[in-house]
Amino acid sequence: MRQTLVVGNWKMNGSRASVAHLLGEILEAIPASGAEVAVCPSYVHLAQAIELCAGSAVAVGAQDCSRMPAGAYTGEVSADMLVDQGCRWVILGHSERRQYHAESDALIAEKLSAAVAAGLQVIVCVGETREQRESGEAEAVVAGQLRGALQGQENLAGLVVAYEPVWAIGTGLTASPEQAQAMHAFIRACLSGLAGVDADATRVLYGGSVKAGNANQLFAQQDIDGALVGGAALDAGEFLAIVGAGAA
Ligand code: PEP
């Protein structure tokens, strides 16, 4: 039985005031049991969020980490630094990192090794573009991203994969529950072919314009184990409703 996981990716949004306000609303109403919940603010808001979430059911994660452990890497933040702050999670390979920072599967694999070695729980994002889906390449692209990031890795217990079709991120377009389920089942089949991965235990989240209005249907699918939520995670009411759908 895989516990539903709902993760908010706040991207490059927020201020000290808005973080305090949003987390205040979330923490006041978060159900004591049900879906597991994490929020991923920007690096500069991590310490504040960790302090606010201390002792609550909400864990805090980062949106990226360096592949390197320490040293002369200006602007980077290591996995050990995140753990030292109190982070539990890290998102790796988000499509915006792949698109705007030219992150390759090989780089994501290095970051994954660093994060696992530091003791972080990792969410690896995969997903095809609209052109790739339209030309029938979606499965091949996703399989390649999974292999590229995960093959040869040690210690992938607790790994989480997020399927985020690029055409559905921040666009208001959502994969239908059937489309998403088909890709999630395919991802689980790919995972079962990788050494060191327990495919049945691995949670596969869906991401791409998830909101209160579509979460129930998505979570009802057999291989959808929760959501990575962008825009709707900045609205406490929407986010809490998605968390509530995961507890049902
Ligand atoms: C995301 O960026 O991970 C995401 C899923 O964004 P949105 O929910 O806004 O589509």
Side-chain angles (χ1 to χ4, degrees):
M1 178 75 183
R2 298 179 293 265
Q3 188 186 11
T4 302
L5 171 64
V6 177
V7 180
N9 173 14
W10 293 358
K11 310 195 187 194
M12 195 174 72
N13 290 297
S15 61
R16 285 189 62 81
S18 71
V19 166
H21 184 73
L22 180 55
L23 274 179
E25 288 190 320
I26 291 172
L27 292 170
E28 199 179 293
I30 198 86
S33 62
E36 188 178 349
V37 180
V39 295
C40 300
S42 75
Y43 285 138
V44 296
H45 296 125
L46 283 174
Q48 183 193 5
I50 288 162
E51 201 178 315
L52 289 168
C53 292
S56 79
V58 179
V60 177
Q63 300 168 17
D64 186 31
C65 73
S66 173
R67 72 190 171 99
M68 302 305 290
Y73 301 98
T74 303
E76 293 284 271
V77 175
S78 75
D80 281 330
M81 288 172 173
L82 296 177
V83 171
D84 186 48
Q85 287 293 311
C87 273
R88 296 246 310 276
W89 290 93
V90 66
I91 300 169
L92 295 178
H94 191 280
S95 63
E96 288 152 15
R97 302 282 325 162
R98 294 177 190 262
Q99 184 180 352
Y100 303 128
H101 301 271
E103 290 203 1
S104 64
D105 293 326
L107 175 61
I108 294 160
E110 286 188 83
K111 291 183 175 197
L112 175 58
S113 301
V116 168
L120 287 168
Q121 288 183 267
V122 181
I123 301 163
V124 173
C125 302
V126 297
E128 81 286 356
T129 63
R130 187 165 56 82
E131 294 72 27
Q132 289 164 335
R133 176 160 282 263
E134 284 172 359
S135 61
E137 294 169 88
E139 289 190 349
V141 167
V142 167
Q145 290 171 335
L146 287 170
R147 260 196 320 275
L150 305 182
Q151 208 159 43
Q153 297 278 352
E154 283 170 23
N155 197 5
L156 290 176
L159 173 78
V160 173
V161 174
Y163 169 56
E164 298 208 310
V166 179
W167 48 271
I169 295 181
T171 58
L173 298 173
T174 318
S176 69
E178 295 74 25
Q179 267 175 330
Q181 165 57 28
M183 186 59 92
H184 281 230
F186 174 76
I187 288 171
R188 207 174 297 288
C190 292
L191 293 174
S192 68
L194 287 168
V197 183
D198 180 347
D200 281 336
T202 302
R203 288 181 286 187
V204 184
L205 311 184
Y206 172 77
S209 301
V210 176
K211 34 192 182 294
N214 57 23
N216 269 311
Q217 270 192 307
L218 288 162
F219 293 168
Q221 306 301 312
Q222 191 183 343
D223 289 290
I224 299 183
D225 306 314
L228 181 53
V229 186
L234 296 171
D235 178 317
E238 281 282 318
F239 188 67
L240 287 163
I242 295 166
V243 171

